[in-house]
Amino acid sequence: MEERLLMAFDSTQQALRAEMLLEYGGVDIDTRPTPRQITAGCAMSIDFPGEQLSTVKEIIEAEKVEIKGIYERTGDTYARIE
């Protein structure tokens, strides 16, 4: 099973922008509700394969998308990695 990472946002505007940019960049993403364990200002998060982390970071940094953080799931908890 592949590792999936989760990107959380402080605003819906940034989440929608990231969704569009990542899809255009060919990243395999899924939008989903932000888990309760992650405190964020936006109820929407983006789930993506861990193997695409470098591509995701390149796009987010180049386009100056504001994110809350990138998290990995361990059991029932999420740990911030970026």
Side-chain angles (χ1 to χ4, degrees):
M1 185 171 152
E2 71 178 345
E3 175 190 30
R4 302 284 296 183
L5 300 176
L6 188 77
M7 186 180 336
F9 304 87
D10 285 323
S11 77
T12 303
Q13 178 184 9
Q14 294 298 311
L16 293 172
R17 189 165 166 250
E19 177 184 30
M20 178 196 63
L21 292 166
L22 293 172
E23 284 178 343
Y24 183 75
V27 178
D28 176 29
I29 64 167
D30 288 313
T31 55
R32 57 184 232 127
T34 302
R36 282 181 291 211
Q37 300 94 326
I38 300 173
T39 304
C42 176
M44 185 170 87
S45 293
I46 294 177
D47 179 285
F48 62 93
E51 64 193 29
Q52 292 187 306
L53 178 60
S54 61
T55 303
V56 168
K57 287 172 60 175
E58 283 178 26
I59 293 169
I60 295 303
E61 290 171 7
E63 298 296 331
K64 297 179 176 37
V65 177
E66 298 173 20
I67 67 171
K68 172 78 174 179
I70 298 175
Y71 301 82
E72 68 179 341
R73 185 174 185 171
T74 306
D76 290 336
T77 62
Y78 289 84
R80 185 176 176 159
I81 61 167
E82 296 287 329

